[in-house]
């Protein structure tokens, strides 16, 4: 084979290879757009969610019927009951490419702002307080019968439920705990539930931590079921 023929063959292979790469990237970009639309169909999101499909080539994953890794984010998500989570991120492994759409393992994380915690405390404990973050703790402050109140709020996840306990309190300069109160009053300050509902089937709350903006919660699950885009 002449040198000119070799150059021609190599050039053809390069062009075909480049064409396949472009086709693969176009298909991946289209899938990411459709996936973002599916996120919007499954969750009441604020703004336009972003989705990134990892792995190359993409088309071989489609042919195999499962995407290795899909991640993304949304500015906010409104949960059932009107509570709002911000700075939401999600991560999924083993995402099926045909119905029923499932995720082998997945997680979603979002921040419940202090205003959300205030709303829950007001509704369930009948306390008009302002909630703020102090270091790695949540602190509620306000007045009870004209007396200054400050109380530590301790979020926890138990059996897939997000609960908030009222910890040590300062009432009119006197330091007390919930256990110092009559049981009728104390019971209203234990296990205040923040209703985190409306997540895709299979995702269950697994952890919570205090962050500068509020409480950051994570839900995880296996064999998560997604709603098909209408």
């Amino acid at each position: 084979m002449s040198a000119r023929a070799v150059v021609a063959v190599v050039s053809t292979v390069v062009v075909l290879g480049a064409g396949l790469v472009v086709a693969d990237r176009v298909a991946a970009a289209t899938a990411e757009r459709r996936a973002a639309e599916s996120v919007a169909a499954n969750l009441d999101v604020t703004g336009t969610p972003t989705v990134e499909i990892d792995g190359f080539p993409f088309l071989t994953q489609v042919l195999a019927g499962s995407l290795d890794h899909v991640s993304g984010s949304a500015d906010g998500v409104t949960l059932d009951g009107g509570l709002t989570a911000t700075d939401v991120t999600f991560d999924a492994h083993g995402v099926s490419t045909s119905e029923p759409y499932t995720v082998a393992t997945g997680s979603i994380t979002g921040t419940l702002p202090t205003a959300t915690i205030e709303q829950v405390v007001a509704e369930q404990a009948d306390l008009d307080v302002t909630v703020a973050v102090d270091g790695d703790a949540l602190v509620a402050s306000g007045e009870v019968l004209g007396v200054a109140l400050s109380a530590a709020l301790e979020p926890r996840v138990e059996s897939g439920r997000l609960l908030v306990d009222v910890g040590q309190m300062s009432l009119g300069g006197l330091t007390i705990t919930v256990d110092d109160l009559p049981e009728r009053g104390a019971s209203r300050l234990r296990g205040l539930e923040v209703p985190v509902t409306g997540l895709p089937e299979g995702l269950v709350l697994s952890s919570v931590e205090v962050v500068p903006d509020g409480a950051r919660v994570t839900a995880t699950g296996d064999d998560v079921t997604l709603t098909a885009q209408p």
Side-chain angles (χ1 to χ4, degrees):
M1 182 180 293
S2 67
R4 180 176 297 178
V6 170
V7 171
V9 170
V10 171
S11 299
T12 300
V13 170
V14 169
V15 170
L16 289 175
L20 289 174
V21 171
V22 170
D24 187 87
R25 294 299 85 198
V26 169
T30 300
E32 288 174 344
R33 176 177 56 79
R34 292 294 301 273
E37 293 171 352
S38 180
V39 170
N42 279 269
L43 297 169
D44 184 4
V45 299
T46 300
T48 302
T50 62
V51 174
E52 181 176 345
I53 299 174
D54 295 334
F56 178 83
F58 165 73
L59 292 174
T60 58
Q61 297 181 62
V62 174
L63 291 174
S66 178
L67 303 179
D68 295 337
H69 182 214
V70 179
S71 59
S73 63
D75 293 338
V77 171
T78 301
L79 305 170
D80 289 354
L83 297 183
T84 300
T86 61
D87 187 21
V88 178
T89 61
F90 54 89
D91 195 81
H93 293 268
V95 182
S96 65
T97 57
S98 60
E99 295 187 50
Y101 298 108
T102 59
V103 173
T105 60
S107 66
I108 184 170
T109 300
T111 299
L112 299 177
T114 53
T116 295
I117 308 299
E118 287 176 11
Q119 179 182 340
V120 171
V121 173
E123 292 175 351
Q124 298 188 29
D126 195 24
L127 291 175
D128 184 12
V129 296
T130 298
V131 175
V133 176
D134 183 7
D136 59 354
L138 290 172
V139 178
S141 58
E143 289 188 354
V144 176
L145 299 177
V147 179
L149 167 70
S150 176
L153 301 180
E154 303 167 352
R156 58 188 169 91
V157 171
E158 181 179 302
S159 301
R161 300 161 62 213
L162 176 59
L163 306 176
V164 176
D165 297 321
V166 176
Q168 183 170 288
M169 297 180 291
S170 174
L171 185 61
L174 177 65
T175 300
I176 60 175
T177 67
V178 171
D179 293 336
D180 295 324
L181 301 175
E183 182 57 31
R184 182 177 179 181
S187 63
R188 294 170 51 193
L189 302 178
R190 299 191 187 103
L192 306 178
E193 183 170 3
V194 182
V196 181
T197 58
L199 298 174
E201 182 181 349
L203 285 178
V204 179
L205 284 182
S206 56
S207 65
V208 59
E209 65 173 328
V210 176
V211 295
D213 295 331
R216 192 151 181 84
V217 295
T218 297
T220 57
D222 299 327
D223 299 323
V224 179
T225 301
L226 303 177
T227 302
Q229 180 191 341

